Amino acid sequence: MASAYISISRINLSHRAISPSISSKRRYTTIARVAQNQSYWESIQSDIDSHLKKAIPIREPLTVFEPMHHLTFSPPRTSASALCVAACELVGGNRADAIVAASAIHLMHADIYVHDNMLLTDRVEPRPTIPHKFDPQIELMTGDGIMPFGFELLAGSMDPASNNADKILRVIIEISRAIGSEAMVSDQDHEANTQIHRLHESGAASGAILGGGNEEEIERLKKFGLYAGKIQGLLNKMGKNEEGKIEKWRALALKELEHFDSKKIEQISTIVTGDSLKFSYVGKS
């Protein structure tokens, strides 16, 4: 069964030396808030995992579904899929409205990750650890099937009773752009078009669309997702210290949330703030 955890890479619990009792209260309040935010993101990821396990059970023919199941859950989790759900809930939607899109975004991420980390891939950078249970040829063919299956899930979620076909079609377009030719220039432009950036961008926009957000809300969350993706992209690069860029992108991301109800933005904002800065979802098939 998949497990998920969120590591918090930077939490500043230091305060001015006022009074030990006041300092302790503030510290406990901060810890409680961080724990609540952890629980929020963990619950989203748990729901995404549950949905994917139902969609991709290990069944006959095992030569197809066993590697597909394994390669879906073996890559590190992306916060882009959880951001999709959080954006949906921020604009007033229900988690169920976005869970299929969030699952599809994870499948896109898994496909990209599998192809980028195959044993036969010629890489100069350090290779992240990923268990290779199958031959490279099987991983390649299975990875090629994961992405279209994500779109199949989205298409299958169209419900005439809910009249959601237009929203689903728009989400399919958003995700297609995130993994299409525009994202392939990532090696030439690390600032704007990497796939991790665009997956977060499309994830936030898709959640807002499915949650019934208006055009301004969709656009603002799309920008928020882009900055969140840039931050997560830097944090996941080994040996990189880009605090200046992170601070800049964090400020721009939070600026996009000023339009929303201040009481509702705390949890989604933790994807770019120190309360829960780096998401490290690790799953086991």
Side-chain angles (χ1 to χ4, degrees):
M1 180 175 181
S3 62
Y5 70 87
I6 301 176
S7 67
I8 303 168
S9 62
R10 298 196 324 134
I11 304 172
N12 185 1
L13 301 181
S14 62
H15 301 280
R16 294 179 180 176
I18 324 170
S19 159
S21 60
I22 294 178
S23 178
S24 296
K25 288 180 180 178
R26 287 181 177 176
R27 183 176 293 107
Y28 292 138
T29 299
T30 302
I31 292 173
R33 185 180 69 247
V34 170
Q36 182 181 25
N37 291 332
Q38 277 187 287
S39 178
Y40 176 68
W41 294 107
E42 286 176 345
S43 69
I44 292 177
Q45 189 60 53
S46 177
D47 287 344
I48 294 171
D49 284 350
S50 295
H51 186 84
L52 284 169
K53 284 182 179 296
K54 292 178 181 178
I56 311 174
I58 299 178
R59 59 183 175 86
E60 295 290 346
L62 293 179
T63 53
V64 173
F65 288 100
E66 189 173 7
M68 188 172 183
H69 182 95
H70 170 72
L71 294 176
T72 294
F73 293 102
S74 59
R77 298 295 186 263
T78 172
S79 49
S81 52
L83 180 58
C84 177
V85 174
C88 176
E89 293 181 336
L90 178 62
V91 298
N94 298 315
R95 185 167 299 190
D97 298 329
I99 202 68
V100 175
S103 300
I105 288 170
H106 173 79
L107 289 172
M108 306 303 159
H109 159 73
D111 172 67
I112 293 167
Y113 194 89
V114 167
H115 280 84
D116 197 38
N117 293 280
M118 291 183 62
L119 290 174
L120 298 181
T121 303
D122 184 15
R123 290 172 56 102
V124 177
E125 297 179 356
R127 190 189 306 273
T129 301
I130 179 173
H132 293 280
K133 292 177 60 176
F134 304 94
D135 291 338
Q137 293 84 354
I138 294 178
E139 290 189 358
L140 175 62
M141 291 186 293
T142 303
D144 289 342
I146 288 177
M147 185 178 292
F149 183 72
F151 288 117
E152 182 181 336
L153 284 181
L154 281 168
S157 68
M158 291 184 181
D159 182 8
S162 301
N163 194 29
N164 64 348
D166 289 343
K167 291 181 179 179
I168 296 297
L169 179 59
R170 187 170 176 183
V171 166
I172 290 175
I173 294 172
E174 284 286 345
I175 296 176
S176 298
R177 287 174 176 169
I179 59 174
S181 58
E182 293 180 19
M184 296 303 177
V185 300
S186 58
D187 288 338
Q188 302 172 19
D189 183 1
H190 293 284
E191 287 288 315
N193 289 312
T194 64
Q195 289 174 320
I196 188 172
H197 301 169
R198 294 184 65 83
L199 271 181
H200 284 76
E201 181 184 49
S202 68
S206 297
I209 292 168
L210 294 168
N214 58 43
E215 290 304 316
E216 182 180 2
E217 290 173 330
I218 293 170
E219 187 60 29
R220 287 184 179 276
L221 283 170
K222 186 172 184 175
K223 291 179 180 177
F224 174 82
L226 174 63
Y227 297 129
K230 288 183 175 184
I231 291 173
Q232 294 297 318
L234 278 184
L235 290 173
N236 287 321
K237 281 189 175 182
M238 300 178 185
K240 294 289 184 179
N241 184 8
E242 303 281 2
E243 186 60 30
K245 288 183 178 180
I246 289 176
E247 292 296 336
K248 171 188 174 183
W249 291 334
R250 179 187 295 120
L252 291 170
L254 295 176
K255 183 73 175 176
E256 298 300 332
L257 294 183
E258 292 179 357
H259 168 80
F260 299 92
D261 186 343
S262 60
K263 297 179 181 179
K264 297 181 179 180
I265 65 174
E266 180 181 357
Q267 289 177 315
I268 194 172
S269 68
T270 59
I271 200 172
V272 298
T273 63
D275 284 345
S276 187
L277 187 57
K278 182 177 180 180
F279 286 67
S280 297
Y281 295 121
V282 179
K284 297 178 182 179
S285 59

